[in-house]
Each structure stands twice: as C-alpha cells, then as structure tokens.
Amino acid sequence: MFLLLPRASSSLRCSIRSLSTTSLRLSDQQIKVPITLIASLRKEFPVPLAQAREALEKSNLDLKSALDYLKNSSASSDNAEKKAAKVSGRSTDEGVISISLLGGKRVGMIHLGCETDFVARNQVFLKTAKDISETTAFLDVPSEDDHPHPVEIDLNKKSDPILNFPTESLLSAPLISLPSDPTSNDNGGSNSNTSSHPISSSAEAQTIKQSLLSSLTQTGENLKLLRATSFAAPFPSKPEIRFVPSGYAHGGSNDKQGKVGGIVVLAVESIDQEKPIATLIHGPNGDKLETDLNELARTVSRQVVGFPTKIIEKQDRPFENDEILYEQPFMMKGDSRSVKEVLQEWGNERGVSVRVVGMRRWSVSEELDQPAVDGAENTT
C-alpha cells in the first residue's frame, strides 16, 4: 500500500529555489574575496594572504569582524608558541635597525630580523622594534654574573664605552614602551625620544620575548632579535668630561629606523683646565653649547652611516680611508676636510676638545657570522 503525500505548492517550491540560489550566491561571495579587501585587512593586521582570506570568508567579508576574528585567534599563548616553533627555521634576512636615544644620556640600537620586506615595513613590526630599542637604551647591560655593569669609562685604557647587550638577557627583560614625544621630528630634527616624558613599562607587562611572540602571530613570520648594543653615560658624571651619545638610521620612514643604522659617543672636555666642561655647560651660553654638542653628535652619526665606516682612527690593520671615520671628508657638514680636522676646529671655536670615543654601524644586509670590527678600537 502506497501513501501519497501532498505535493508542495508552487509558491513553496519557488521559495525553496530562491533560498537555494541565495545560499549559492553567498557561498560564491565568500570564496571570491576581493583582493582590495584582503589588502585592507593585512594593512590593519599583517597576516599571510591565506589567513586574511580565511578571516574574511568566515566574517562574510566584514572587515571589522575579520579583524576581531584574527585578534581572537592570535590571543592564545599556546597558539603563539606553536606558530613560533613552526617558523623558527626560516631565514630572517630582512628586518630593521632601530635606535632610541634617551634624554641625551643613553642610546640603544637593535637589529630585529624578519623574513620579508613587506613585514619589515609594517607598523606592528616597527613598533615592536622601537619598544625593544627603547628597552635596550633604558636598561643597564648585565655582566657575566647577571648584575648590571657599573657605568665606568676609562678613556686612558681605550675601553669601548658602547657595550653589546646579550640578546638572551634582553628577551627575558620587561618591555619598556615610551610615550611619543610631540616635540620630536622623525624626519630629521631632534632624535631624542624622551626628555620630559615619564618612562614606564607597557600596560600588558610583557617581556620582550612575549612581545615578539605577539607580533609573530600577527605577521605570520619568523621574528628574531639578532643583536643589541647600548651606551649609558656614567652616573654620577664627572665635571671634567661630558659624554654625548647620538644615533641615526637611513633607509626607513624616519631617522631612527632603517636598513642601516649607527650610533656614536663623543667625549667633550674643556680646553681651559680652570673651567671644566660642567662649568661651561651650566654657565652663560651653556644651553647653546649643549644644543650644539647634541647636533654635532647627530651629524657625526649621520657621517658614520653615510660612509662604509668600520673604525674611528687609523690602526695597524689595513683599512681604506673611506672606512676610517677620522679620515673621511666631513660630507655631512658640507666640508671637504677630514672629520678629524673639522672636529678640532669646531671645538677650538667653543673652547672644548671633542673626540669620538665609541661607534657602531650596522646594516640589515651584512653577514652576522663574521666578527664585527669594534668601532672603539679607538682613540688617542
């Protein structure tokens, strides 16, 4: 015996067909994600193309929902560790040299590596590099027993005042994020990141390693802190000598981050032994002298970056003149005379002696397995 079911009405059949057609159209829309939308999402949250496409598909092409999806999927610490392990073997030939100058007394420089130039130009990556360089400048370099190095500089022994910061120690340090200085000029003015702004750790209380993991989940690339170095002026300072650090980077969006970076330290003493440099700085026209010294230090750091500088002065080892800072024409001051001659004249005009006692020049493209030349092997 057969049971005959009533046939669906024509209006119901049309509704079903319409619903099926709509579902197919939505499915097609989800698959065909506009490349412009992918680009917009990756600009806000840099992830691989496939990940951006997946987020937009799951969010029905809604950019805000896709951003929320990516942030939520990146939040898990276990997920970040797994991603880091997955990409750890990839090369980090791209990246940025990031420099931070604190209050005219400290300077830090780091080399943060990544896989592609796309990520090297991304704001998430650059912000991470900036925070790490600020932390490097702020913290004292630990000694072999993990205690901070005493800030002592003996120029008679020609010791290097710029210290290499062990990356392993830095990775476990709390991340220091400094407020932006509205008076600074990222395109060539003062490169002092902070003067009056308070220094505080980031609101998330992250270590540098945790910050890198967070950035890795957003970029999808292997990120590696390749090297770090810093200088801190002695405290308390001696009235007879003043150390003036500075730094400059080229090949980026501002003068603190780029493909090539350099930092220098000047040692300044008064020619008149009756009036030590501290007296000159705190005396009449002292503010102008200090401003001139900071600008001079910045110009010298630009000179270091602008030439293939490897050493400060001539030594027994063979170097070309364009690799020796003191022998280079001081092009950054528009002078054909050597850097050494110009510094001597500049100091005589102001009653001071100026020497470059520390220097580093790094490039993203250079081989890191070759022993670096110490820029402070050094001065007379």
Side-chain angles (χ1 to χ4, degrees):
M1 181 178 180
F2 297 97
L3 179 64
L4 296 177
L5 298 175
R7 188 177 182 183
S9 67
S10 59
S11 60
L12 179 60
R13 289 198 301 273
C14 290
S15 298
I16 293 172
R17 282 198 300 270
S18 176
L19 181 61
S20 301
T21 305
T22 302
S23 299
L24 287 173
R25 283 202 303 268
L26 285 174
S27 178
D28 290 343
Q29 287 176 355
Q30 289 172 350
I31 294 172
K32 296 177 181 179
V33 181
I35 192 66
T36 53
L37 200 55
I38 293 177
S40 298
L41 178 59
R42 295 181 75 205
K43 185 177 181 181
E44 293 290 329
F45 201 95
V47 292
L49 277 169
Q51 195 172 345
R53 188 188 304 276
E54 177 189 354
L56 287 164
E57 288 174 350
K58 290 183 179 295
S59 306
N60 291 326
L61 306 186
D62 182 78
L63 187 59
K64 184 178 183 303
S65 297
L67 277 170
D68 292 338
Y69 173 84
L70 288 174
K71 290 176 181 177
N72 290 333
S73 64
S74 299
S76 167
S77 176
D78 291 341
N79 187 37
E81 292 282 0
K82 288 177 182 178
K83 286 188 177 182
K86 185 177 180 180
V87 302
S88 62
R90 299 179 186 173
S91 62
T92 51
D93 296 332
E94 292 292 339
V96 70
I97 307 297
S98 186
I99 299 168
S100 289
L101 181 67
L102 306 186
K105 303 295 184 183
R106 289 173 171 263
V107 66
M109 180 168 69
I110 64 113
H111 178 182
L112 186 60
C114 62
E115 298 175 42
T116 65
D117 185 57
F118 173 79
V119 166
R121 292 181 283 108
N122 179 267
Q123 290 304 310
V124 170
F125 176 81
L126 293 175
K127 175 63 165 60
T128 300
K130 175 178 177 289
D131 288 346
I132 297 175
S133 62
E134 289 172 346
T135 303
T136 304
F138 180 70
L139 298 178
D140 290 333
V141 176
S143 60
E144 293 181 358
D145 57 2
D146 284 337
H147 289 90
H149 266 288
V151 183
E152 296 177 359
I153 301 173
D154 189 346
L155 295 180
N156 294 324
K157 294 181 179 179
K158 296 185 178 181
S159 59
D160 188 359
I162 301 176
L163 302 177
N164 293 328
F165 208 125
T167 54
E168 287 302 318
S169 298
L170 202 50
L171 286 171
S172 61
L175 188 71
I176 306 295
S177 182
L178 303 174
S180 298
D181 186 348
T183 63
S184 68
N185 181 355
D186 282 346
N187 294 317
S190 169
N191 65 343
S192 174
N193 297 71
T194 62
S195 52
S196 59
H197 290 291
I199 297 175
S200 60
S201 61
S202 61
E204 298 82 3
Q206 289 183 316
T207 64
I208 287 179
K209 182 178 180 180
Q210 289 170 330
S211 175
L212 285 175
L213 283 174
S214 176
S215 298
L216 182 149
T217 61
Q218 296 181 57
T219 62
E221 290 196 1
N222 187 20
L223 307 182
K224 189 172 182 180
L225 179 59
L226 296 170
R227 46 185 169 168
T229 192
S230 70
F231 165 82
F235 182 82
S237 60
K238 296 181 179 180
E240 299 83 14
I241 189 166
R242 191 175 190 87
F243 293 97
V244 185
S246 195
Y248 182 80
H250 174 73
S253 60
N254 58 66
D255 66 356
K256 303 177 189 68
Q257 293 185 317
K259 296 297 183 183
V260 184
I263 59 175
V264 300
V265 178
L266 306 185
V268 187
E269 298 173 278
S270 174
I271 295 175
D272 185 355
Q273 295 184 358
E274 299 293 324
K275 295 180 179 180
I277 184 64
T279 302
L280 298 181
I281 291 293
H282 296 292
N285 300 319
D287 288 344
K288 184 178 187 307
L289 175 58
E290 189 160 32
T291 299
D292 289 348
L293 284 170
N294 288 328
E295 183 57 36
L296 177 65
R298 181 178 181 276
T299 304
V300 174
S301 64
R302 289 180 61 212
Q303 176 79 21
V304 166
V305 170
F307 281 72
T309 314
K310 293 183 177 179
I311 207 75
I312 295 173
E313 288 191 303
K314 278 186 177 180
Q315 297 180 5
D316 294 337
R317 285 183 289 171
F319 288 97
E320 300 294 330
N321 278 355
D322 65 349
E323 297 175 328
I324 306 169
L325 176 63
Y326 274 2
E327 302 301 317
Q328 298 166 357
F330 208 159
M331 301 303 294
M332 297 304 160
K333 285 189 73 68
D335 202 315
S336 60
R337 293 175 298 165
S338 71
V339 170
K340 188 173 185 177
E341 290 177 292
V342 175
L343 288 180
Q344 184 174 2
E345 182 184 88
W346 189 98
N348 288 338
E349 291 174 352
R350 293 162 177 81
V352 297
S353 166
V354 179
R355 292 177 290 162
V356 182
V357 295
M359 181 206 79
R360 290 287 191 280
R361 183 188 188 275
W362 290 350
S363 170
V364 168
S365 61
E366 66 194 7
E367 295 289 338
L368 298 185
D369 55 355
Q370 297 180 356
V373 176
D374 248 352
E377 290 183 3
N378 184 344
T379 58
T380 55

